Amino acid sequence: MSSLTRQPPKRSVCLQPLWLRITHWLNALAVLIMVMSGWRIYNASPIFDFAFPDNITLGGWLGGALQWHFAGMWLFALNGVAYLLLNLITGRFGRRMFPVSARGMVRDAWLALTARLSHADLSHYNQLQRAAYLFAVVDLILLVLSGLVIWKSVQFPLLRELLGGYDMARRIHFYCMAAIVCFVSVHLLMVVLVPRSLLVMLLGRSTLRSVNKETTS
């Protein structure tokens, strides 16, 4: 008699926990609201010699844009705090974002430019990704701080002075907005180049195969 060997069920590994996916998409929504409403607010009192087209702004008028901006601000603040705390408590921040070195970034940049940078293991961030995500965290924090000076300049005099005054805070806020828009643009480009990464952020894994799918013989 011969016995049939039954192979263990194949399981797709969860690469991104549910809490991370939820906070990620809420952060994305909050940033989108703040950027588009911020463009409408900027148009009401521009600091440079250009304005954003009305059809890519949010709010319809200054008062409406301010309401959208504050709504996005509270969503981002509460969700952002939860995102950072959960990353720190679970140890994920340290595991995924470090170490980062200049040599490692140069190496990975060269591999990317020569189309040799591997994306096979989506549970691992290369050093360019780590540097980009750390930059985004710092940029968003500075965006919030400069926004506080613009919103409540009298209530935050020390912060206002540290940022170089009210007018400089407006410029810093604008530059940080431009930086996060560039970050999101590159992020979306990488999703196009590595579409499996979108599945990871939607489903927690890089395939559509059910977690509990078993093979039968």
Side-chain angles (χ1 to χ4, degrees):
M1 297 178 61
S2 62
S3 60
L4 295 176
T5 59
R6 184 187 181 115
Q7 295 186 0
K10 295 181 180 179
R11 297 178 182 272
S12 55
V13 179
C14 181
L15 301 177
Q16 301 288 17
L18 180 60
W19 65 261
L20 181 80
R21 284 174 275 149
I22 292 174
T23 54
H24 171 274
W25 290 112
L26 287 177
N27 275 340
L29 175 62
V31 168
L32 179 64
I33 291 172
M34 288 192 297
V35 166
M36 293 182 67
S37 60
W39 288 344
R40 171 66 70 166
I41 296 168
Y42 166 89
N43 285 350
S45 180
I47 56 178
F48 299 108
D49 191 23
F50 70 90
F52 293 98
D54 288 341
N55 58 358
I56 63 170
T57 65
L58 182 65
W61 58 298
L62 178 58
L66 286 168
Q67 290 178 345
W68 275 106
H69 205 67
F70 291 143
M73 175 194 71
W74 286 114
L75 174 62
F76 174 76
L78 296 174
N79 187 68
V81 168
Y83 175 83
L84 286 176
L85 286 178
L86 286 168
N87 266 287
L88 293 173
I89 291 171
T90 61
R92 183 184 179 278
F93 194 85
R95 292 194 307 270
R96 289 294 188 94
M97 302 301 177
F98 296 98
V100 179
S101 66
R103 176 179 294 182
M105 287 190 293
V106 170
R107 179 200 64 213
D108 286 350
W110 174 249
L111 291 174
L113 289 173
T114 55
R116 291 183 294 130
L117 186 62
S118 175
H119 299 284
D121 184 5
L122 296 181
S123 66
H124 171 76
Y125 291 158
N126 61 59
Q127 297 218 21
L128 284 180
Q129 287 175 299
R130 295 175 187 176
Y133 288 133
L134 288 172
F135 168 80
V137 170
V138 173
D139 182 76
L140 287 169
I141 291 174
L142 190 54
L143 196 63
V144 170
L145 294 177
S146 58
L148 285 175
V149 171
I150 297 171
W151 179 36
K152 296 287 187 180
S153 181
V154 175
Q155 287 83 352
F156 296 97
L158 178 59
L159 183 57
R160 183 186 66 235
E161 295 307 314
L162 288 174
L163 293 183
Y166 179 83
D167 290 335
M168 182 56 68
R170 286 194 68 199
R171 291 178 178 270
I172 292 173
H173 200 67
F174 183 91
Y175 295 143
C176 288
M177 176 277 299
I180 203 63
V181 169
C182 290
F183 170 82
V184 170
S185 299
V186 174
H187 196 56
L188 292 175
L189 175 61
M190 293 308 299
V191 169
V192 173
L193 295 176
V194 190
R196 290 187 304 130
S197 61
L198 179 59
L199 279 178
V200 170
M201 197 49 71
L202 288 172
L203 306 176
R205 56 188 187 274
S206 60
T207 68
L208 293 173
R209 184 174 54 201
S210 171
V211 174
N212 295 317
K213 181 179 179 180
E214 296 186 4
T215 57
T216 59
S217 57

